[in-house]
Amino acid sequence: MVDANEFDGRLERYLQTVYPQRQALRVTGVQRLTGGFSYETHFVSVGWQAQGDGHSQVLVLSKEPEHGVAPPYDVRPQFEVLQRLQGTGIPVPGVVALESEGTVLGRRFFIMEKVAGQNLDTYITQYPEHLEALRQQYAQIIVRLHQANWQSLELT
């Protein structure tokens, strides 16, 4: 098991290799999300310098669990599906990196961009008048997903 400081340090060194152009890249915070019964999810805040200006971003780390309800776990298929759906009109977060050896944090993981917005559960509660529009959006996304050429996207 990797403690929190070691986790942050290992992740920071890994992200420095993923983003070599980001000068003085630092992990400025890690928040583990609760809920769910499978993959561990963390928000990872990073900061760096570029052309004399400070920049920041929140990434999402999805890591295989140590124990879970439905093993075996493998982050690679989820990473590859998200990667292959880029540019298809199906809204998916951008994927950043796949660590498939499990050597950096003790388990395999991938990193994706955080999509701005609210959790659907809380959004619907706060804005029930948007429920019908959300249902329509959801149906349109499902249609696009079913129309995607899974063979050309190599989604086998």
Side-chain angles (χ1 to χ4, degrees):
M1 189 69 174
V2 178
D3 72 26
N5 289 334
E6 189 176 354
F7 181 97
D8 292 4
R10 287 182 180 191
L11 183 57
E12 183 174 279
R13 288 186 293 279
Y14 177 76
L15 288 170
Q16 288 167 347
T17 65
V18 170
Y19 293 113
Q21 73 283 9
R22 293 184 176 181
Q23 301 167 354
L25 184 139
R26 295 287 174 254
V27 169
T28 58
V30 176
Q31 174 191 2
R32 181 167 177 194
L33 304 179
T34 58
F37 295 101
S38 57
Y39 295 89
E40 293 179 16
T41 305
H42 302 260
F43 286 156
V44 179
S45 299
V46 295
W48 70 95
Q49 294 292 314
Q51 300 166 343
D53 294 326
H55 299 271
S56 64
Q57 180 180 19
V58 177
L59 301 167
V60 179
L61 182 144
S62 182
K63 181 173 66 162
E64 293 176 355
E66 189 171 5
H67 307 288
V69 295
Y73 292 99
D74 185 359
V75 293
R76 182 182 298 275
Q78 185 178 359
F79 174 85
E80 289 176 351
V81 167
L82 291 173
Q83 187 177 49
R84 290 177 182 149
L85 289 175
Q86 298 295 311
T88 62
I90 299 165
V92 294
V95 290
V96 174
L98 171 67
E99 198 285 302
S100 60
E101 301 300 316
T103 55
V104 174
L105 299 176
R107 285 179 264 144
R108 298 177 294 189
F109 65 89
F110 74 93
I111 297 173
M112 62 189 135
E113 296 173 350
K114 183 178 182 290
V115 177
Q118 287 183 295
N119 183 307
L120 188 57
D121 297 357
T122 56
Y123 186 85
I124 290 173
T125 305
Q126 292 174 350
Y127 305 100
E129 67 275 14
H130 296 172
L131 186 57
E132 186 55 35
L134 289 170
R135 286 181 179 147
Q136 293 294 322
Q137 256 186 333
Y138 180 76
Q140 291 167 1
I141 292 167
I142 295 298
V143 167
R144 280 186 245 148
L145 184 60
H146 284 276
Q147 290 173 339
N149 185 334
W150 61 271
Q151 291 101 338
S152 70
L153 293 170
E154 298 179 28
L155 295 174
T156 57

